[in-house]
Amino acid sequence: MATATTSFSTFTPTTSSSPSLKVSPKTLVSNIGFLSSKTPSKPLKTRSNVASGSALGARMVSAPPAITKPPTLLDFETSVFKKEKINLAGHDEYIVRGGRDLFHLLPDAFKGIKQIGVIGWGSQGPAQAQNLRDSLAEAKSDIVVKIGLRKGSSSFNEARAAGFSEESGTLGDIYETISGSDLVLLLISDSAQADNYEKIFSHMKPNSILGLSHGFLLGHLQSVGLDFPKNISVVAVCPKGMGPSVRRLYVQGKEINGAGINASFAVHQDVDGRATDVALAWSVALGSPFTFATTLEQEYKSDIFGERGILLGAVHGIVESLFRRYTEDGMSEDLAYKNTVECITGIISKIISTQGMKAVYESLTEEGKKEFLTAYSASYYPCMDILYECYEDVAAGSEIRSVVLAGRRFYEKEGLPAFPMGKIDQTRMWKVGERVRAVRPAGDLGPLYPFTAGVYVALMMAQIEVLRKKGHSYSEIINESLIESVDSLNPFMHARGVSFMVDNCSTTARLGSRKWAPRFDYILTQQALVAVDNGAPLNQDLISNFFEDPVHDAVKVCAELRPTVDISVPANADFVRPELRQGSN
């Protein structure tokens, strides 16, 4: 195809005790509903003003005042790194800034660790193993980074190609690697973790540290009434982007201090007081520009939910719905694709990344602004309806159980055939996308189509609101709903297509997108677009709330922490794993 690189510009912002996480007692307030808020948003009016056609919209505006769960307040102590307080929308949070100038601190933070075992070679494994190895080498540390794979895995060849080998002691069997490691980074698929955790735990050394990049395993253990062994520490470092992004930005930013993908960290269990410094060192070594605190439970809820929402599933659903809408209204297929996928993954993402959500609206003509508001008002509550349901399914363990069962259906059992995931990229819309990208000029970010923009920003704001009302920190909300989308995933979608991501990201995300994308598609088609066609009036208070929402100022603060390097996605780039190089639309 003509375009070889997608590159987004930077923001221009306007405006020693035991080192473990401490959760404020304030987090014990219960959550009852979505109406009340500590934000200065105006109350929503009667259902006659709700243009969405959504039953949820009607219920929400007629509900009695509810107690809002405040953001989780997390503090931590570190004896190695500098903790910094930031204020996001009136809430204090604590972070650690990253940077290559901190690599010399890694040996001290990793004190007592002689070997880091990276288990698995999926999305995160290759990136994290190589980043850790390179950062430790720069720090002149003798800590060994060793890859552990199951016997017979085809990934052995890929790991060798990345510089790991049996001869050097940096590549070996999964359980041998676990037994010999002081820090075990468990980066195999979520369903594989659920099926193999007992054997994994049994091979870990006492007082070793289990590192996770997703809280899924905790959710699974909770669902079966179990917890982690008490003789190991359990931490998490969760990059807010897929593995290829983590590696790509690290490599791109070797001359730019602090370049990389933001990460959250959590200390779930600390047996000897080392856990917080080890987790922070892990994040710094990955190249995270800033690392913010969360809990393992909050992480898996926001992450699994986010994948099914704006990060993948919801954006897949809304572009399918809008593509049909535009072509049925007489728009050519090529233009409809540009006005849906290219619009979201290109120009809208760039504007949000560099200037924030309100700037999308401000970039439109007066007529375009009217279309944006019509789409926003009609789409907000239908999107929230599905997002709300999705979050509660994740929190209740239903989505976790669904992923585990789906993983088992990938193989023959009980006399039934195997049902691995099929691809979605051969349908009409995605073949059109292939054609559009083949002739797209280099650097073309697509048109700014007002109606699409209104739907997309409504989806983003609805996801932000669900996470906010469920008590997540603003750092987590903004990273899971905005930064990961526009700075990590959407650039890949722009270069390769939405279907490429749906077909090639993590198993948990792929399953979630296939399950939830049709729900977003249908509810927009059946409720939001019908409301527009019926001339439903704008919900003026909903519109006012958008412009006055404190999240916009919080986004500006996060923007100031953003490195100056932007991800670029060359076609057929070597950092993409072989299966990700398969042709897709």
Side-chain angles (χ1 to χ4, degrees):
M1 63 189 184
T3 182
T5 303
T6 299
S7 183
F8 288 175
S9 302
T10 59
F11 272 93
T12 306
T14 54
T15 54
S16 170
S17 56
S18 175
S20 59
L21 289 174
K22 298 179 288 186
V23 183
S24 166
K26 293 180 181 178
T27 62
L28 300 178
V29 180
S30 64
N31 174 66
I32 299 178
F34 278 79
L35 185 65
S36 177
S37 173
K38 287 190 174 182
T39 69
S41 300
K42 296 178 182 179
L44 300 178
K45 293 185 178 178
T46 59
R47 73 179 66 190
S48 62
N49 285 325
V50 179
S52 68
S54 167
L56 175 64
R59 287 198 303 276
M60 288 183 62
V61 295
S62 60
I67 298 173
T68 300
K69 188 175 182 180
T72 300
L73 179 61
L74 291 167
D75 194 3
F76 57 91
E77 297 297 331
T78 170
S79 60
V80 178
F81 300 100
K82 180 182 177 182
K83 182 178 71 172
E84 182 178 340
K85 182 166 73 173
I86 60 174
N87 188 276
L88 299 177
H91 299 277
D92 289 338
E93 298 188 25
Y94 297 92
I95 66 166
V96 167
R97 293 182 191 254
R100 293 172 185 269
D101 58 332
L102 300 181
F103 286 177
H104 72 281
L105 299 175
L106 296 179
D108 188 24
F110 281 136
K111 190 177 297 182
I113 292 176
K114 296 180 180 178
Q115 178 172 293
I116 300 174
V118 178
I119 310 304
W121 196 261
S123 175
Q124 289 289 333
Q128 295 203 28
Q130 292 177 85
N131 289 13
L132 278 164
R133 178 193 61 193
D134 294 354
S135 297
L136 288 167
E138 191 168 325
K140 296 181 171 51
S141 169
D142 58 1
I143 296 173
V144 174
V145 177
K146 183 175 182 178
I147 310 300
L149 302 172
R150 59 180 171 77
K151 287 187 169 107
S153 170
S154 60
S155 297
F156 271 95
N157 288 333
E158 296 175 39
R160 293 185 190 107
F164 300 93
S165 68
E166 294 90 338
E167 295 77 15
S168 66
T170 57
L171 178 62
D173 170 71
I174 179 172
Y175 293 107
E176 173 189 286
T177 301
I178 291 171
S179 296
S181 296
D182 307 293
L183 171 60
V184 176
L185 308 186
L186 190 61
L187 303 180
I188 58 178
S189 71
D190 292 334
S191 57
Q193 290 184 29
D195 285 339
N196 295 283
Y197 66 87
E198 290 179 292
K199 188 173 182 181
I200 291 166
F201 293 162
S202 71
H203 281 76
M204 290 190 66
K205 298 191 294 187
N207 297 320
S208 61
I209 303 172
L210 176 64
L212 305 169
S213 281
H214 189 13
F216 184 97
L217 183 55
L218 172 65
H220 175 68
L221 292 174
Q222 288 176 335
S223 72
V224 294
L226 298 174
D227 202 347
F228 296 97
K230 297 304 179 186
N231 64 342
I232 61 171
S233 294
V234 181
V235 302
V237 170
C238 308
K240 298 305 156 186
M242 61 180 186
S245 298
V246 173
R247 181 59 178 168
R248 180 61 179 164
L249 274 169
Y250 181 93
V251 172
Q252 277 183 252
K254 284 197 172 178
E255 304 303 320
I256 306 293
N257 192 39
I261 293 287
N262 297 334
S264 62
F265 89 100
V267 175
H268 182 73
Q269 200 164 277
D270 189 3
V271 298
D272 58 11
R274 295 182 299 150
T276 295
D277 283 334
V278 168
L280 290 170
W282 173 15
S283 186
V284 168
L286 293 184
S288 303
F290 78 88
T291 305
F292 61 92
T294 186
T295 68
L296 207 53
E297 184 170 357
Q298 290 286 72
E299 192 286 327
Y300 83 71
K301 289 178 180 177
S302 64
D303 189 76
I304 298 174
F305 165 71
E307 292 169 347
R308 283 141 182 77
I310 200 165
L311 300 182
L312 193 65
V315 72
H316 173 201
I318 67 174
V319 296
E320 293 257 16
S321 175
L322 293 176
F323 180 82
R324 282 198 315 276
R325 164 85 167 189
Y326 297 160
T327 53
E328 288 170 1
D329 285 348
M331 190 180 291
S332 72
E333 289 184 338
D334 285 24
L335 185 56
Y337 187 88
K338 292 176 184 177
N339 285 337
T340 52
V341 176
E342 301 276 285
C343 173
I344 288 172
T345 63
I347 188 63
I348 288 177
S349 291
K350 178 180 179 181
I351 293 172
I352 293 174
S353 173
T354 57
Q355 302 170 64
M357 289 176 285
K358 286 196 291 186
V360 175
Y361 171 83
E362 292 161 357
S363 300
L364 297 168
T365 65
E366 290 307 309
E367 188 60 33
K369 289 176 180 177
K370 293 177 183 177
E371 291 183 43
F372 176 100
L373 295 179
T374 296
Y376 184 96
S377 182
S379 304
Y380 181 88
Y381 280 129
C383 287
M384 182 179 276
D385 190 347
I386 303 302
L387 289 165
Y388 190 4
E389 177 187 349
C390 180
Y391 186 96
E392 298 212 322
D393 274 7
V394 172
S398 301
E399 281 298 296
I400 289 175
R401 182 63 176 161
S402 176
V403 170
V404 173
L405 293 175
R408 293 170 183 168
R409 291 194 298 272
F410 293 164
Y411 308 95
E412 292 183 16
K413 65 171 188 172
E414 300 172 343
L416 293 171
F419 285 94
M421 277 184 283
K423 294 176 67 107
I424 72 163
D425 66 355
Q426 296 302 304
T427 57
R428 179 171 66 103
M429 179 178 183
W430 307 117
K431 300 307 288 184
V432 171
E434 186 177 56
R435 183 171 73 228
V436 167
R437 288 193 308 280
V439 297
R440 184 176 68 193
D444 184 355
L445 295 178
L448 179 56
Y449 198 67
F451 196 89
T452 300
V455 174
Y456 184 74
V457 174
L459 168 67
M460 185 171 279
M461 287 297 296
Q463 178 161 318
I464 287 168
E465 185 68 354
V466 171
L467 288 171
R468 180 162 51 195
K469 290 302 192 290
K470 290 296 185 178
H472 291 264
S473 70
Y474 268 97
S475 290
E476 195 154 57
I477 292 167
I478 292 167
N479 275 277
E480 290 286 356
S481 303
L482 191 151
I483 295 174
E484 185 171 357
S485 179
V486 301
D487 284 343
S488 176
L489 298 178
N490 286 1
F492 278 84
M493 293 184 192
H494 196 68
R496 312 288 174 84
V498 174
S499 64
F500 173 85
M501 291 301 305
V502 174
D503 283 336
N504 290 290
C505 59
S506 74
T507 299
T508 299
R510 291 164 65 200
L511 287 166
S513 180
R514 283 160 170 76
K515 179 177 178 180
W516 290 93
R519 298 290 308 282
F520 288 99
D521 180 343
Y522 298 160
I523 202 166
L524 286 174
T525 300
Q526 296 164 358
Q527 293 188 16
L529 300 182
V530 169
V532 171
D533 291 340
N534 290 340
L538 298 183
N539 183 331
Q540 296 294 345
D541 289 289
L542 182 62
I543 300 301
S544 295
N545 287 344
F546 166 64
F547 290 116
E548 298 170 7
D549 198 296
V551 75
H552 301 300
D553 288 333
V555 168
K556 290 179 183 178
V557 175
C558 290
E560 294 169 359
L561 300 169
R562 187 181 186 273
T564 56
V565 67
D566 308 293
I567 192 166
S568 65
V569 189
N572 300 318
D574 288 341
F575 70 90
V576 179
R577 295 176 61 217
E579 62 268 32
L580 298 185
R581 296 193 194 108
Q582 297 171 3
S584 78
N585 307 303

